[in-house]
Amino acid sequence: MSASYTTDRASPFTRAVVNSMRKLYPEALADKTFDNTGLLLEAPFDPIRRQMNSVLLTVDLTKAVADEAIERKDCVVVSYHPIIFKGLKCLTLADTQQQSLLRLALEGISVYSPHTAIDAAPGGLGDWLADIVTGTLSEPEPATKTAEPEKPETNSLNTDSSNGHSQSSDQDPFIENPQEEKTPKPRPARMALQRTYSKPTYPKPIELEQTDLAPSSASHARSVIHPVTGVKGFEDAGMGRLVKFSQPQPLTHLIERIARGVGNPKGFPVAIPQTRQVEDIQIRSVAICAGSGSSVLRDVDADLLFTGELSHHDALAATEQGRCVVTLFHSNTERGFLHSVLKEKLTRVLRREWDRVREEVAEGEDLSSEWEDAVHDEDVLVEVSERDRDPFGIVILQASTQVGKPLG
């Protein structure tokens, strides 16, 4: 009897994607104390109006990304962050995340989340960030200087046009000079501040795919901070990475490498001890964690903490201890991995797995014509979302005076 549409079966291509992700990043590597990895939404397969044999990679499954997947007719969304973290008691359209799940299920699009399995895997997110910190720029490392203290702004109110004398920038124009003749003067009108700010800016996806960082030429040792054991074939897995350089590295060089490696953001937070100058700081060790690093990096002995986000008090404690902190906003430590590593890796493994699944399905079932069309489709496509981005962007004051000299 020929197989027909049924609501209790996912598409064969979905099976191939899930198998491929589990081969690359076994769910056993994930931190199950809080994480929720794996196939989170298994959409029923409708062979009559089937999706494309395509995968959309994203860090966060937002409404915009769900719209993108539906428009593209993708079969699976691989969302690094789980869209379901806690147990659900209902599924309604009132909740925006549940709304996205329901819409994707209606379109036959499944959702898989690898999250901390990617963090822990050898060659995964932790090692990718370590590769950036230890990378080599295509041109010589920049000579850098600390920004000079900002000078007070001056304007037309600092000049007394009646006598031609110019007041110093630190003298209040509304206080009379005792050395001058005390004659009544009209109080000048306060000038309205006119400032123009940019739209929020984000790391550029195209630069995430075309980074000019080469493999490290700096001698260093790399280790896992919190090992994950018991997963065959992944003996070097674990959360966080600790890099120790044989020779100290200028902090400014590390900042430049990080910027290049994650897509040249217009700026990101850096914390240093108040008694130090950035160009004087030498780094011998870097503790690394993607996303929110407070729990992974706690009590790690390192000169620099490099993570997506760290609380005010954790950062303050680090600088008080003489250490430095670089953060990028949470997901900016993760998104570049999709472009630089996961897209190519998943494409390669998925092509082989799809061939195997197609052969298995064709041999095991008497297929209808619609199922035959799906199984005979050899296409495999993996793309990164164009709409996925961190919630935070950098807003820049336009036409503002450059303070000091740039790092690059």
Side-chain angles (χ1 to χ4, degrees):
M1 181 177 179
S2 295
S4 60
Y5 170 72
T6 176
T7 59
D8 61 0
R9 303 175 65 184
S11 74
F13 189 76
T14 297
R15 190 195 316 174
V17 173
V18 172
N19 291 347
S20 299
M21 288 300 299
R22 286 172 174 164
K23 287 181 178 180
L24 288 168
Y25 310 105
E27 292 160 27
L29 296 177
D31 186 348
K32 292 299 185 181
T33 62
F34 78 97
D35 207 359
N36 186 33
T37 57
L39 184 59
L40 303 188
L41 175 64
E42 188 175 23
F45 178 49
D46 182 351
I48 298 177
R49 60 181 190 93
R50 67 185 180 86
Q51 305 303 106
M52 305 290 290
N53 286 352
S54 58
V55 182
L56 187 64
L57 306 179
T58 185
V59 171
D60 293 301
L61 181 45
T62 59
K63 292 176 66 176
V65 174
D67 289 341
E68 184 181 12
I70 291 170
E71 292 167 12
R72 287 168 40 90
K73 297 187 181 299
D74 291 308
C75 182
V76 181
V77 174
V78 173
S79 177
Y80 169 76
H81 286 146
I83 191 171
I84 302 173
F85 253 120
K86 299 178 180 180
L88 299 176
K89 293 187 176 181
C90 63
L91 282 170
T92 72
L93 297 175
D95 182 281
T96 55
Q97 290 186 319
Q98 294 172 19
Q99 182 184 116
S100 293
L101 288 170
L102 290 168
R103 293 175 60 226
L104 291 171
L106 182 64
E107 297 291 334
I109 303 174
S110 298
V111 178
Y112 184 90
S113 174
H115 202 202
T116 52
I118 282 185
D119 296 357
L125 194 42
D127 282 320
W128 176 71
L129 291 173
D131 289 342
I132 289 174
V133 168
T134 61
T136 302
L137 296 173
S138 57
E139 67 272 8
E141 301 274 15
T144 58
K145 294 184 179 181
T146 300
E148 298 171 357
E150 187 173 6
K151 296 180 180 180
E153 294 181 1
T154 60
N155 55 43
S156 60
L157 296 180
N158 293 111
T159 302
D160 184 351
S161 58
S162 64
N163 57 24
H165 293 145
S166 175
Q167 296 176 330
S168 64
S169 60
D170 58 355
Q171 182 176 340
D172 190 330
F174 303 129
I175 298 179
E176 294 178 349
N177 188 333
Q179 297 178 354
E180 294 181 355
E181 183 181 352
K182 295 184 177 181
T183 57
K185 297 179 181 179
R187 186 179 181 89
R190 181 176 293 276
M191 295 180 63
L193 291 176
Q194 295 184 352
R195 297 181 182 272
T196 302
Y197 291 86
S198 71
K199 294 180 180 180
T201 63
Y202 306 86
K204 299 176 181 178
I206 188 64
E207 295 186 11
L208 293 171
E209 297 180 2
Q210 300 177 353
T211 179
D212 55 0
L213 281 175
S216 174
S217 60
S219 177
H220 68 278
R222 184 182 305 186
S223 60
V224 170
I225 296 176
H226 301 287
V228 173
T229 60
V231 184
K232 186 177 180 180
F234 293 82
E235 287 73 20
D236 296 328
M239 302 299 174
R241 296 294 185 270
L242 179 63
V243 169
K244 294 185 177 181
F245 293 103
S246 299
Q247 297 296 326
Q249 303 287 304
L251 174 60
T252 52
H253 290 186
L254 300 185
I255 291 173
E256 183 69 16
R257 294 173 196 169
I258 290 169
R260 300 288 185 90
V262 301
N264 288 314
K266 295 296 184 182
F268 49 82
V270 176
I272 63 174
Q274 291 189 9
T275 58
R276 306 287 299 278
Q277 299 294 328
V278 68
E279 83 275 13
D280 297 330
I281 297 177
Q282 299 287 316
I283 301 296
R284 287 186 174 273
S285 55
V286 186
I288 302 166
C289 179
S292 181
S294 59
S295 61
V296 173
L297 302 183
R298 186 176 294 121
D299 300 326
V300 178
D301 183 14
D303 297 336
L304 172 64
L305 306 181
F306 172 33
T307 185
E309 60 180 336
L310 205 63
S311 74
H312 166 86
H313 296 290
D314 287 337
L316 187 62
T319 57
E320 289 290 282
Q321 295 164 2
R323 301 191 287 173
C324 303
V325 179
V326 170
T327 63
L328 295 176
F329 298 128
H330 187 110
S331 66
N332 289 341
T333 53
E334 302 158 341
R335 189 163 289 101
F337 179 82
L338 308 185
H339 293 266
S340 303
V341 180
L342 183 56
K343 177 181 176 180
E344 186 275 331
K345 271 191 172 182
L346 180 57
T347 300
R348 185 176 65 251
V349 174
L350 180 55
R351 288 189 187 281
R352 295 197 298 265
E353 183 63 19
W354 179 226
D355 287 342
R356 189 193 68 78
V357 169
R358 288 170 56 232
E359 182 178 348
E360 180 182 274
V361 172
E363 290 179 352
E365 300 181 30
D366 181 15
L367 303 177
S368 67
S369 59
E370 292 85 3
W371 277 81
E372 286 181 352
D373 289 342
V375 171
H376 292 161
D377 187 350
E378 299 179 359
D379 290 344
V380 169
L381 181 64
V382 179
E383 295 289 352
V384 182
S385 170
E386 296 180 356
R387 303 181 192 177
D388 177 45
R389 70 184 190 193
D390 194 89
F392 290 100
I394 299 291
V395 175
I396 302 169
L397 175 62
Q398 300 295 288
S400 57
T401 304
Q402 174 74 49
V403 180
K405 297 184 178 181
L407 289 178

